[in-house]
Amino acid sequence: MIDNLSDFNDWFSIQQAAHRFSVRRVPLADTAGWIVEDGTANVRHLSGRFFSVQGVHVETNHRDQSSWRQPIIVQPEIGILGMLIRVVGRRVYCLMQAKMEPGNINHLQLSPTVQATRSNYTGVHGGLDVPYLDHFRAPRRGRVIFDALQSEQGSWFLKKRNRNIVIEVESAPAERDGYCWLSTDLIAELLLTPNLVNMDSRAVLCGVFHAFPGSISSRTPFRGPAVHPFEQVLSWFCDAKSEFSLSQRLIPLGDVPDWGIADGTLTHRDGRYFSVFGVDVEAAGREVATWSQPILEPVDRGLIVFLGRTIRSVFHVLVHARTDAGTRDIVEIGPTISCNPANYSHVPDDRRPRFLDILQGVHESDILFDAVHSEEGGRFFHAENRYMVVDVGEDFPLDVPSDYCWITVEQLGTLDRFGNLVNIAARCLASCMTSLPYDVSELATASFR
């Protein structure tokens, strides 16, 4: 078990030196095991499993455009993102893995105990079994702490979900190579390091941190009376689902205007949004040592921000009922700001994301959290977002547009326990907030359990 940064750095250095990785870019048509279909131009695996890249036609009354077409990843399988935890005294430890993904900007990042698609853990790839998988499939050996079907990036995935599950075990299973038990205190510290704790870990850790609010020693949780009772927050969310609309219809990739495959890469004609190309991968320590796949690369670094302020002595964050191309149920609760600013450089001011320009006048002392983290490296290549929490001060108006709402971090954690309410960006940023040194706030101290 590792509790301090020095021991962790020693362990992680060993993992980095133990394996060699290779990721080589290839044209989509030359991606082994995958085809670009005649007639549709859809990109899919020969087995019909894993995922595909298709076109989608979107219509909604909750975006600056009422309709558009775009490429999107279709992955109907529900994978498992599982975290084993142990409680030792008043400390909580998570079993984490140093895992390579082809899109990781630095190859190795910290993943949950289990991070596997259904195709992977059912052996479609013909590789080794997924370690520790039996702890997350019935009958389980341990106590279920958290279990919910959660969405992933609605801008790039169509209605994709993974099962986020946290299991507490009394006795530690044998520790395999590449795995170690890390305390939640240490994990909170590691969340300040760029591109280290991967997206899947951040998503699952949101459930761990809120299930054990006192497990982060020497950090004051953001708990206390909320300006809006929880029932009112749920009512606000239902209002948004009733007010807005969203329809999605799959279409051939070849029927998406302004997009096409040139030189083996799917791109937008103006170079905006993202591209999709193939990669050949070699990775020691994975269930399969070599494979090929398509992968999506955004054009630039994104921005994910909670604007927050103290209300009645309790810190609140401003959340957004957000609609994306692939959202499963019209809206999900997202951060105040979630965008790729490069995609808006050419549009008029009235089409820029709301509140984005506020960041230009923010003082450094008002930035409570600021770190760059990677998105899921199994599907996205070098995809980074700048995660920020900004205190906009008590002069910032409480009156906000109808699709925004002030909630406490505690309320956000409660909402997270229900699937498809809180989107992936908000869950990841909520996990990052455990590292905030916000001791100046006079908030109620949470008791362990």
Side-chain angles (χ1 to χ4, degrees), residues 70-99:
Q70 67 167 80
I72 202 160
I73 300 172
V74 180
Q75 186 173 339
E77 299 179 345
I78 295 175
I80 292 178
L81 304 179
M83 188 79 79
L84 288 184
I85 66 168
R86 292 187 65 205
V87 180
V88 181
R90 294 177 62 85
R91 285 183 178 271
V92 177
Y93 292 84
C94 302
L95 183 61
M96 303 190 73
Q97 178 188 10
K99 186 169 186 174

Side-chain angles (χ1 to χ4, degrees), residues 146-221:
F146 182 95
D147 193 353
L149 295 180
Q150 301 284 28
S151 63
E152 298 201 1
Q153 288 87 348
S155 296
W156 299 333
F157 282 117
L158 180 63
K159 301 182 180 181
K160 182 176 185 291
R161 294 186 296 177
N162 273 320
R163 188 174 184 179
N164 289 207
I165 182 167
V166 179
I167 301 292
E168 179 185 355
V169 293
E170 292 187 2
S171 57
E175 197 171 292
R176 300 187 181 218
D177 289 343
Y179 292 79
C180 70
W181 293 93
L182 303 178
S183 71
T184 50
D185 264 320
L186 177 58
I187 294 169
E189 187 175 357
L190 295 176
L191 283 165
L192 295 166
T193 303
N195 296 316
L196 177 57
V197 181
N198 81 359
M199 184 206 79
D200 294 318
S201 291
R202 299 193 307 273
V204 180
L205 284 167
C206 185
V208 175
F209 289 144
H210 287 285
F212 297 92
S215 67
I216 310 296
S217 62
S218 75
R219 292 178 175 87
T220 307

